[in-house]
Amino acid sequence: MKVRLARTRFADLIGWAAAQLDAKPTQPIFAGLLIEAADDAVTIAAASHNGGARATLPADVLEPGRIVVPGRMAAQVVASYRSELIEISTTHQQVEITAGRDVFRLSLLAAEDYPQVAGQPAADGTVDGEEFTEAVRQAASATDPKVNDLQIWRAGIQLTVAGDRLTVWATDRYRMAERSIPWTPARDHGPLGALIVGRSLSDAVRGLTGDIGLSLADKTVGVADRVRYSTVDRLDEAGRQDPHQFIPAQFTTEAIVPVDELITAIKRACLVAGDGKPKILIGFGSDDISVRAAGDDTGAVALDYVEGRHVDGPPLQIAFQPAPILDALTTAGVDEVRIGLTAPTKPALVHAVGDHTDYRHLVMPVRL
């Protein structure tokens, strides 16, 4: 093989493909990326235990070929080069990657052992790439990637199609993040849905542009733009409770709060909250929203106020662990959120304020 191609685009696509390899491959071949050169194009493919990915870009193919390179290392090498033109050539079971005067050689893996990468499935519909990527990012904040196989749904992101809307949501049992975006069906079909590993979906959508095609009707879920596509296996939903049942029809107390100011106040209060099981107490009931924390061992106390807008309801104080409420705020993507409460022991709903998004995040409180 011998090819010349643009480094920036190649670095983007090989980095995208490498991110979808298994983090801890059970076999050395699953740490590799398949690179094929033919017909003035280079194709990069990644295979993992729960799916695959493929991307194609134009190239000057001097000698066609098919090789497998150590994926993450190759991606790091290409990203570090400075020259815009890159050349890839093979010799004596090695691949040589050259950019200007920079040269790097890597040992090849056995191409004949590389797993079959699934073909691109037909799309059931399309969504805007920027909106979908943002919705996936927001939903991922409510996943728990460290769960065991018995509760694997806690690491998943749910995609559900109804009419002309795609809803993206996730729950780790203690919180739920959700957003819906416009959906353009490619054909007539009923309701569609799939639960996918959140990390795999986040890696798949990174860098996708324009309209994104989604395939949700089959066992394998497909995500694609004009240049690349990924396939991801579904997860088992067994044992998952629907957190939508905990969203009340109306709230006892509501307030509109500036996001950045509340995040700053919570982080400042965390300085005295301790490292064990810190708690942040937020008080509502007037335009001045209080943020408190106390150190269990030191006796230190923090009290801050954020100027918001009290909407309705009597005074109410509610305690959170800092991380879940901070995740709900930092992924909102808006300047203000509306926080709805029913009781100190009931979940709070953080809802984005704005016409362009219906993002909402349900957060469980903790007892004082």
Side-chain angles (χ1 to χ4, degrees):
M1 175 192 291
K2 188 172 183 179
V3 298
R4 296 192 184 101
L5 63 170
R7 185 197 64 83
T8 301
R9 189 60 173 151
F10 183 58
D12 175 45
L13 294 180
I14 197 173
W16 169 82
Q20 299 184 67
L21 296 171
D22 292 332
K24 296 180 179 180
T26 55
Q27 302 175 41
I29 197 66
F30 281 103
L33 291 176
L34 175 65
I35 300 178
E36 297 178 282
D39 301 326
D40 297 324
V42 165
T43 299
I44 308 165
S48 67
H49 286 291
N50 71 332
R54 188 183 297 273
T56 303
L57 72 160
D60 183 10
V61 179
L62 305 177
E63 296 179 13
R66 182 175 185 269
I67 61 174
V68 176
V69 301
R72 288 187 170 84
M73 183 177 293
Q76 291 172 355
V77 169
V78 174
S80 69
Y81 278 171
R82 296 161 291 180
S83 174
E84 180 52 31
L85 183 63
I86 192 169
E87 182 175 291
I88 301 174
S89 58
T90 57
T91 178
H92 303 301
Q93 295 302 310
Q94 285 189 322
V95 59
E96 185 174 278
I97 306 174
T98 306
R101 292 184 295 179
D102 299 324
V103 180
F104 205 98
R105 294 183 180 90
L106 295 171
S107 296
L108 294 174
L109 302 176
E112 61 273 15
D113 295 336
Y114 204 75
Q116 181 74 25
V117 177
Q120 181 175 350
D124 297 308
T126 58
V127 291
D128 178 78
E130 184 175 342
E131 287 188 317
F132 184 57
T133 300
E134 177 71 0
V136 169
R137 182 186 70 85
Q138 291 171 326
S141 67
T143 63
D144 182 358
K146 299 179 181 180
V147 296
N148 57 41
D149 291 340
L150 296 178
Q151 295 184 326
I152 192 63
W153 53 265
R154 294 173 59 187
I157 292 178
Q158 178 75 45
L159 306 178
T160 303
V161 173
D164 61 353
R165 305 291 292 183
L166 169 71
T167 301
V168 184
W169 65 273
T171 180
D172 65 356
R173 191 172 63 184
Y174 302 107
R175 53 187 171 174
M176 181 194 75
E178 178 182 70
R179 179 177 173 183
S180 68
I181 60 176
W183 163 267
T184 303
R187 62 180 69 86
D188 292 335
H189 52 67
L192 297 172
L195 180 65
I196 314 167
V197 175
R199 182 171 180 176
S200 298
L201 183 57
S202 297
D203 289 337
V205 302
R206 182 173 65 86
L208 297 187
T209 59
D211 289 339
I212 294 179
L214 295 178
S215 307
L216 303 175
D218 298 326
K219 180 179 179 180
T220 300
V221 176
V223 183
D225 66 5
R226 293 184 178 182
V227 175
R228 48 190 141 181
Y229 75 88
S230 300
T231 57
V232 185
D233 290 342
R234 293 169 177 265
L235 291 179
D236 189 355
E237 301 174 27
R240 184 183 68 181
Q241 289 187 329
D242 188 351
H244 293 86
Q245 62 182 305
F246 300 112
I247 300 177
Q250 61 183 17
F251 298 99
T252 303
T253 299
E254 290 186 272
I256 294 176
V257 189
V259 172
D260 289 344
E261 286 83 344
L262 184 54
I263 290 174
T264 300
I266 292 173
K267 289 182 176 180
R268 194 156 43 225
C270 286
L271 296 175
V272 304
D275 298 328
K277 294 183 178 180
K279 300 174 183 178
I280 301 295
L281 183 64
I282 305 178
F284 299 87
S286 70
D287 288 343
D288 289 330
I289 296 158
S290 63
V291 180
R292 305 170 186 261
D296 294 335
D297 300 327
T298 63
V301 176
L303 173 61
D304 205 344
Y305 290 92
V306 175
E307 185 177 346
R309 299 197 301 278
H310 180 69
V311 177
D312 192 20
L316 193 153
Q317 295 189 83
I318 187 168
F320 300 101
Q321 291 181 339
I325 188 64
L326 284 173
D327 286 343
L329 295 169
T330 55
T331 57
V334 292
D335 294 332
E336 294 182 319
V337 292
R338 187 176 183 127
I339 301 178
L341 311 165
T342 55
T345 58
K346 299 294 184 180
L349 186 68
V350 177
H351 198 295
V353 175
D355 296 332
H356 71 285
T357 176
D358 62 357
Y359 164 80
R360 56 184 183 174
H361 200 123
L362 195 68
V363 187
M364 288 292 294
V366 293
R367 294 184 181 274
L368 290 175

